[in-house]
Amino acid sequence: MTGLERHDLDDLTAGVRDRLDALPPKERPRHRKMTTENIIWAAVLDQRGLSRSLTAYLFRVGENQMRNLIKQVRPHLEALGYRSEPIPARLIDPSDLANYVMHATAADRERETPH
């Protein structure tokens, strides 16, 4: 979903986390239900074009809270030069996401299976 290999996502997350940790504590994005990593991943998904309402649903937080968290993190992604390709589908609700993941997973398996 992030468009990144796991090690690239880990590197990006570490870079953003370092930038956030350098901020005064009161300026850091925080949410009682989300880790800093989750907040960063939500911002990556937002950059990929996942709707904020769906992102909020996935992380079980309010949409306004999600919007504020993403707004705080996005400049740090951009400062590190992160620009993502949009997800090639419009994902509005959980069923859209489930269908997208099922088809993407099936396509990946097809490519890996020798014919």
Side-chain angles (χ1 to χ4, degrees), residues 94-111:
S95 64
D96 295 335
L97 178 61
N99 287 330
Y100 175 78
V101 170
M102 285 190 310
H103 286 101
T105 304
D108 285 346
R109 272 187 259 144
E110 286 248 339
R111 282 193 293 272

Side-chain angles (χ1 to χ4, degrees), residues 69-107:
L69 293 168
I70 289 169
K71 185 178 177 182
Q72 290 176 285
V73 171
R74 203 163 186 178
H76 298 283
L77 290 172
E78 293 168 359
L80 291 173
Y82 178 72
R83 302 276 188 274
S84 67
E85 293 293 319
I87 295 172
R90 186 152 192 241
L91 307 175
I92 303 298
D93 61 41
S95 64
D96 295 335
L97 178 61
N99 287 330
Y100 175 78
V101 170
M102 285 190 310
H103 286 101
T105 304

Side-chain angles (χ1 to χ4, degrees), residues 14-30:
V16 173
R17 184 180 191 83
D18 289 346
R19 292 177 62 87
L20 295 175
D21 287 346
L23 296 172
K26 291 191 182 249
E27 292 180 25
R28 297 176 193 163
R30 297 253 189 257

Side-chain angles (χ1 to χ4, degrees), residues 56-68:
Y57 173 83
L58 292 173
F59 287 100
R60 297 187 173 140
V61 300
E63 192 172 340
N64 287 334
Q65 294 168 321
M66 182 60 72
R67 185 179 304 110
N68 290 332

